[in-house]
Amino acid sequence: MDGQDALKRRVAELELQLARLQQTNATLQDEHSRIVEALKLSEERFSKAFYATPDALNISRLSDYVHVAVNPGFTALTGYSEQEVVGRSAREINLWADRADRERMVQQLREKGTVDNLEAQFRSKDGTLRWAVMNSRIIHIAGEACVLSITRDVSETRRAQRERDAMQQRLQAVERTEALGMLAGGIAHDFNNLLTPILGAASLLLGDERLPRKARDEAAAIMDAGERAADLTRQILAYSRKQLLNLELLDLNCEISRTERMLRRVIGEDVRIQLELAPGLPAVSADASQMQQILLNLAVNARDAMPGGGKIILKTATFTPDQPIRAARGLREGLHVLLEVSDTGSGMSEETLQRAFDPFFTTKGPGKGTGMGLATVRGIAEQHGGAIWAESAPGKGSTFIVCLPAAQGAAAEKSKQAARRCKGKELVLVADDDAAVREAVKRLLESDGYRVIAAKDAAQALAVVEQLGKAPDLLITDVVMPEMDGRELRDRVAHRYPRLKTLFMSGHAENVLAPHGALDEGLRLIHKPFAAAALSSAVRAALDET
């Protein structure tokens, strides 16, 4: 019995152990199922994230950098299909635009095991280069070391940044231009005040037939130098777009024809000038001297681009800008006149073309160029309500295009009246705080027979009027004077004598004159420096005005 009982107990123990083993097996099976389910869920999550991410993702073996998986973002960035990439390395499909960037990526992986914000260019299947930022990490898949790379396309961001940088540079250039313009205006004013008595005295000497021929020749030389100095101040003001313009109706074809002979002397015999002038060209409202300045500057610029000789083509045409061009060039609507100056020279690179109109920018050697020629042309064109742009390529010459608005309802030609010296006997009151200018104007007018009283400022001029007990036949006053400006002086005298006739004079630029009201419609203004004939004509016109 004892043996049977022992056997029964042993069987019971075995059955208990078997039950426990079955329970453990069931637990292990449940755990295995949970692990398998978790792996499936993790793989599903990774797969969804991998394929749904818009950035370019790729996994490659660390040993040879052969791709084992890529997502749709990668195929969209590169243009290659998944079948064309998997099983091949980036080097095989020539994905890196610069191999040095790939070497940087490999080196960082070896040294750090990571790549952070590596910016590089990648070449897509169609050859397009795109900028992207790459981040990479080493991961292990099935026991094998792999590289997971995330690449984000930043081409549009870089383009936007370049545009912002370009706008910032343009803004800085505008600010520099404005600062230089203010400086130029101040310098021009002082220079014009110095030139006014010089030109006035030279005019008087030239008109004195009692002087010996040699003395008059010397006076002519002084006059010529003074006028060239005056042209220099006009050029400075044209660059800063602050110059007062003497507008008249011009036929651009006629101005080109008149200037052609001078251009031929300037550019030399090894450069040929060809004219292609459109017939029936509408008139433009422009300053003749400034149109000549445009032609001269562009012709000299073209000549310098052809050191071995060549051809300059001067072409005119009409042009009606459409909306996109007008937005790009800043042109208003309506008919315009085009002046094209082309050369057969060396041309310009895109980088040089972008800076061609910048002040003080020049590609010429030291002492061979100031960098102001094209900047001056741009200033003149914009001050006339027009624009200028250039087209060029290395080895293909350059074309500079000046576009000016056509005068509305104007004939194609208007003859200019020659300046004339006009005599008179009227009483003229001259007010100017610059003694040299004041005395020069007094002498010029007295040589024409006028009775002249000179005042050093507005207060003295008012005292003269009070002493006279009547208004002068003409008040000539500087615009900007201390204590009281010319406009206020005119208003105070005109309050008592409403029929007062006034001629303003100034050597300042537009931005200085405007706040003083000297540019208001209907006011007469003569710009310093002026020669005797110009002053005489302006005075007579002011006196004869009804």
Side-chain angles (χ1 to χ4, degrees), residues 212-445:
R213 179 60 180 270
K214 183 177 180 180
R216 294 176 66 186
D217 287 344
E218 294 296 334
I222 295 172
M223 191 77 177
D224 181 65
E227 288 176 345
R228 283 189 282 113
D231 285 339
L232 178 60
T233 62
R234 283 191 288 268
Q235 186 173 358
I236 294 172
L237 291 173
Y239 152 67
S240 62
R241 298 190 293 278
K242 298 293 190 294
Q243 184 182 12
L244 292 173
L245 299 177
N246 180 26
L247 298 178
E248 55 185 322
L249 295 179
L250 299 177
D251 182 343
L252 203 54
N253 287 346
C254 293
E255 295 305 314
I256 293 172
S257 299
R258 292 191 187 103
T259 311
E260 181 189 4
R261 180 177 298 178
M262 178 189 69
L263 294 181
R264 293 188 186 280
R265 291 197 303 267
V266 170
I267 64 176
E269 297 179 354
D270 58 345
V271 176
R272 184 163 60 92
I273 296 180
Q274 178 178 320
L275 302 185
E276 298 181 5
L277 308 181
L281 201 67
V284 294
S285 180
D287 186 309
S289 65
Q290 295 306 302
M291 294 302 101
Q292 293 173 3
Q293 188 72 58
I294 286 178
L295 288 166
L296 179 62
N297 286 17
L298 292 180
V300 169
N301 191 70
R303 178 203 64 190
D304 292 343
M306 301 181 292
K311 180 171 66 174
I312 297 176
I313 301 174
L314 303 178
K315 181 179 179 180
T316 58
T318 55
F319 173 65
T320 302
D322 55 23
Q323 188 62 41
I325 295 180
R326 186 168 63 254
R329 308 298 186 193
L331 299 175
R332 68 184 74 166
E333 294 183 355
L335 187 64
H336 286 67
V337 175
L338 284 183
L339 164 64
E340 294 185 11
V341 180
S342 303
D343 63 64
T344 57
S346 55
M348 293 180 284
S349 66
E350 182 64 27
E351 180 182 1
T352 300
L353 189 60
Q354 292 297 323
R355 300 190 59 192
F357 297 101
D358 290 353
F360 307 116
F361 174 74
T362 178
T363 58
K364 302 170 187 176
K368 296 183 179 180
T370 64
M372 288 296 293
L374 293 179
T376 298
V377 172
R378 182 180 66 178
I380 294 172
E382 292 178 356
Q383 195 179 12
H384 280 79
I388 181 172
W389 62 93
E391 299 170 355
S392 185
K396 296 184 178 180
S398 303
T399 298
F400 288 87
I401 304 165
V402 179
C403 192
L404 301 172
Q408 298 297 319
E413 234 181 294
K414 184 181 181 181
S415 61
K416 295 185 289 183
Q417 297 295 326
R420 55 191 177 89
R421 298 288 301 274
C422 304
K423 303 291 184 179
K425 297 181 180 180
E426 291 89 343
L427 175 63
V428 179
L429 174 58
V430 177
D432 196 304
D433 59 303
D434 189 293
V437 173
R438 186 170 64 245
E439 291 305 313
V441 173
K442 184 175 184 294
R443 291 198 308 272
L444 288 172
L445 294 179

Side-chain angles (χ1 to χ4, degrees), residues 517-538:
L519 303 180
D520 293 352
E521 187 176 357
L523 296 186
R524 289 187 174 273
L525 175 70
I526 183 170
H527 198 74
K528 302 173 186 176
F530 42 75
L535 176 64
S536 180
S537 179

Side-chain angles (χ1 to χ4, degrees), residues 38-52:
L39 287 173
K40 287 182 178 179
L41 181 60
S42 176
E43 183 179 355
E44 182 181 1
R45 287 174 177 171
F46 176 80
S47 178
K48 286 182 177 179
F50 185 81
Y51 286 100

